Amino acid sequence: MTPSLFLARLTGARLDVLEKLPGQVPRQAAMGAVLLTTAAFAAISAGYALHVTGVTGSWPVTIIAALVWGLAILNLDRMLIIGMAHEKQGKKLVALAVPRVALALILGAVISTPLMLKIFESEIEAQLNRNILTAQEQLRTEINSSTAAADLSAAEQKAGELRALINAGPTADPAAHPQVQAVQAEIDALQKTGDKQKSEYDTARALALAEEEGTGGTGIAGCAAICVEKKRLADEAMARWQQTVTAIDGKRQEKDRVAQTLQGNLLDESQRRIDDAEQELPNVEQKVTQLREQIASSQDTSYQLEQANGGIIARMKALSDLVGSDATVAMARYTVWAMFIALELLPVIFKVLAGFGTPTKYDEVLDELESAEAAAATADIGAMKKRHELRDDAEMAAEKDRIDKQQHTILKINDAVVEHQTEVIEAALARWREHAKIAAEDQLDSWAASLATTATPPVLIGSAGASVSGIPAPGHGPGAPYGNSHGGSPGSAPTSRHAGAPGPATTPGNGPTATETGPRPGAGYASGPRTSTTYGLPDPTDV
């Protein structure tokens, strides 16, 4: 791939179209060069910012991080260009360009700021030193106005007073005694107040005289109302001054009385104060030393922090101070910022203008090719959907056939089971009939033999009427199914085995009458499962 095609590929151009239109390659390559240039500046800017802040710690890591940042900016710009390539309507194109313009402003500021820090590095260093000195001076002022500074000043004053007392030695002068000194301090304060009041009185008296003589004030000689008022003010000022003078005289008299009281032991009192001062002075000096060290340590620490504060935030503040104080620096900064914004906006502006202009040959061929590809893709999707539908239909038909066959097989199995059960039941019935026939014949034979041994054979009453002696009634011969039986000795009355059988019947005639139970007309073996008491055979309906 040639460099021109590589640059054109950066803008998202299709190489298959450019191979058919070689004349469009320079145009696409130029836009790709703009994207690559912006990414290169972004990488340089990021590398310098990382080096200044010391985030990476080494040059190899810094270079790798800068390349990654440049690649990110390149991909972002490519996204902006490619995202606008397929929009042809002017209003939508402008709407798409608005957020990209805002992003370009942000990227322009992000990329240009570290470069500005490097371009104006010497000026920024000077401004940074000035900012450090200003911060240190402000810190010194804050320390001097702090509580520690006030404590230090008081301790130093106390130490000076103690040293002066010790150096003066013992004295009998009353003026050196604290009580006398306290009264003298009051006298000095009153003296200052009296001097001020004397000055006010002199000024008021001079104004009153000038008003009265006509040399000042209204300029009218004579003592009118204003003159009278000024004299009154002068008299009040004199009264205040005289009051203070009286107070000063009283304090002086008090001082003399205190001195007379202390006259006998002034020397011993002075020596005692010196001894106390010698004991107190080391503690005061130690306190002074501690406070000085504390303040010095705070100053040194703050100064070191300010000196070490040369990071990117401090440099950006210095740059901002330079921009605010120097118009040349401000113009240079905004010019570089505008240059990077223009680099960011150039591809966007190019795409917007291209959207409003006549489509190029590349755009026309690209539209035709994309339309053909879209049609082919749509056809492929339609064919795929058709294949899926046919496959679904075939699967559904196969499933339906399988279900039908399963149903048919189940029906055949049911028929075979029913047929087999029928055969089993018929075979059981056939065996039962044979067995019942044999049992009935044996019973009839036994019954006939028992009848022959009796004097008068019983007369049987059947369901069809009376029969002759020893001859069963019609329908009750050998082989006929019996629904009842009896047993016991000859001549005994048999017991009915059917719940619905009729009671004993007698027939008129000569000789004893035999009772017999038989099936009622219509009675058969359909009265539920039961077992024959005579033969011990299962009922046919239980099979």
Side-chain angles (χ1 to χ4, degrees):
M1 182 183 297
T2 62
S4 298
L5 291 178
F6 172 74
L7 294 176
R9 191 73 180 89
L10 290 179
T11 63
R14 294 186 53 165
L15 298 182
D16 53 349
V17 178
L18 292 178
E19 290 176 356
K20 300 176 182 178
L21 299 172
Q24 298 293 321
V25 173
R27 183 177 185 179
Q28 301 294 332
M31 187 179 296
V34 173
L35 298 180
L36 194 60
T37 302
T38 305
F41 278 116
I44 295 173
S45 176
Y48 177 73
L50 293 174
H51 173 67
V52 170
T53 56
V55 174
T56 54
S58 61
W59 275 109
V61 179
T62 301
I63 293 173
I64 294 174
L67 293 176
V68 171
W69 174 251
L71 183 61
I73 295 298
L74 178 62
N75 288 331
L76 185 59
D77 289 339
R78 290 187 74 241
M79 181 195 71
L80 299 180
I81 299 304
I82 295 174
M84 299 178 63
H86 301 285
E87 187 57 52
K88 304 301 180 184
Q89 297 182 5
K91 294 182 178 180
K92 292 185 178 180
L93 197 61
V94 173
L96 289 174
V98 170
R100 286 159 175 76
V101 171
L103 185 59
L105 295 175
I106 297 174
L107 290 177
V110 171
I111 295 173
S112 64
T113 299
L115 292 179
M116 290 295 299
L117 295 178
K118 183 61 178 177
I119 293 172
F120 296 101
E121 186 174 8
S122 59
E123 291 82 358
I124 290 174
E125 288 290 343
Q127 182 63 38
L128 188 61
N129 292 330
R130 288 193 291 270
N131 292 345
I132 292 174
L133 292 176
T134 303
Q136 291 177 351
E137 185 64 28
Q138 182 180 0
L139 178 63
R140 187 180 298 108
T141 302
E142 293 176 355
I143 291 176
N144 291 334
S145 61
S146 64
T147 305
D151 294 341
L152 177 61
S153 178
E156 289 176 345
Q157 182 179 359
K158 180 66 174 178
E161 292 176 354
L162 294 176
R163 290 192 191 96
L165 180 61
I166 294 172
N167 293 332
T171 179
D173 185 7
H177 196 276
Q179 294 182 6
V180 176
Q181 289 177 352
V183 177
Q184 183 62 42
E186 294 178 0
I187 294 172
D188 294 339
L190 289 173
Q191 188 64 47
K192 291 180 181 179
T193 303
D195 293 341
K196 181 179 178 182
Q197 291 174 348
K198 178 65 169 55
S199 177
E200 293 176 353
Y201 164 68
D202 292 339
T203 302
R205 182 171 179 276
L207 291 174
L209 290 175
E211 183 68 32
E212 185 178 5
E213 294 174 354
T215 59
T218 60
I220 301 174
C223 193
I226 296 178
C227 176
V228 173
E229 179 64 21
K230 289 184 177 181
K231 283 186 176 182
R232 187 185 66 79
L233 294 176
D235 292 341
E236 290 179 355
M238 184 180 66
R240 289 193 298 269
W241 171 53
Q242 289 296 335
Q243 185 179 0
T244 303
V245 171
T246 303
I248 291 173
D249 292 340
K251 287 296 181 182
R252 285 175 178 170
Q253 293 176 3
E254 181 182 355
K255 175 183 175 183
D256 293 339
R257 287 194 301 270
V258 172
Q260 291 177 0
T261 304
L262 298 174
Q263 189 68 36
N265 55 358
L266 285 176
L267 188 61
D268 295 338
E269 185 71 20
S270 175
Q271 184 63 45
R272 188 169 58 253
R273 290 199 307 271
I274 292 174
D275 294 340
D276 293 340
E278 289 177 349
Q279 294 178 359
E280 186 180 1
L281 182 60
N283 296 329
V284 176
E285 290 178 343
Q286 182 180 2
K287 182 178 180 181
V288 170
T289 303
Q290 291 176 351
L291 290 173
R292 286 177 178 175
E293 291 177 352
Q294 178 182 352
I295 294 174
S297 176
S298 300
Q299 290 178 345
D300 293 341
T301 303
S302 301
Y303 291 166
Q304 291 174 3
L305 291 175
E306 290 294 338
Q307 291 289 346
N309 186 16
I312 191 170
I313 299 299
R315 292 177 180 275
M316 290 177 64
K317 184 179 183 303
L319 178 61
S320 178
D321 295 339
L322 281 175
V323 171
S325 61
D326 193 338
T328 304
V329 177
M331 183 180 64
R333 181 186 182 184
Y334 294 134
T335 301
V336 175
W337 184 27
M339 180 187 70
F340 281 101
I341 292 174
L343 287 176
E344 287 290 334
L345 290 178
L346 184 60
V348 177
I349 295 173
F350 176 81
K351 282 295 183 181
V352 172
L353 294 178
F356 285 105
T358 304
T360 62
K361 297 297 181 183
Y362 173 82
D363 295 332
E364 293 177 357
V365 174
L366 181 62
D367 291 341
E368 294 292 337
L369 184 58
E370 289 181 348
S371 298
E373 290 176 348
T378 303
D380 292 342
I381 294 173
M384 182 177 62
K385 289 183 178 179
K386 187 65 175 177
R387 288 195 297 270
H388 283 303
E389 291 176 356
L390 293 175
R391 185 180 298 109
D392 293 340
D393 293 341
E395 291 177 355
M396 186 176 296
E399 183 68 16
K400 185 176 181 302
D401 181 67
R402 183 180 64 81
I403 294 173
D404 293 341
K405 290 182 177 179
Q406 286 180 350
Q407 184 178 7
H408 181 68
T409 302
I410 292 172
L411 293 176
K412 289 180 66 177
I413 293 172
N414 291 339
D415 293 340
V417 170
V418 172
E419 183 180 356
H420 179 68
Q421 290 177 347
T422 302
E423 291 177 356
V424 170
I425 292 172
E426 290 178 351
L429 290 174
R431 293 185 62 184
W432 179 83
R433 283 194 298 268
E434 293 295 330
H435 184 76
K437 182 178 179 181
I438 295 172
E441 290 178 353
D442 293 341
Q443 184 68 20
L444 289 174
D445 292 340
S446 175
W447 185 42
S450 65
L451 291 177
T453 60
T454 61
T456 304
V459 179
L460 299 177
I461 302 300
S463 60
S467 63
V468 294
S469 177
I471 301 174
H476 291 77
Y482 280 81
N484 59 315
S485 62
H486 64 85
S489 62
S492 64
T495 303
S496 173
R497 299 297 183 184
H498 296 282
T506 59
T507 56
N510 298 323
T513 303
T515 62
E516 179 65 19
T517 60
R520 292 173 295 169
Y525 297 97
S527 59
R530 58 194 180 276
T531 303
S532 174
T533 57
T534 303
Y535 310 115
L537 296 176
D539 192 277
T541 59
D542 293 337
V543 180

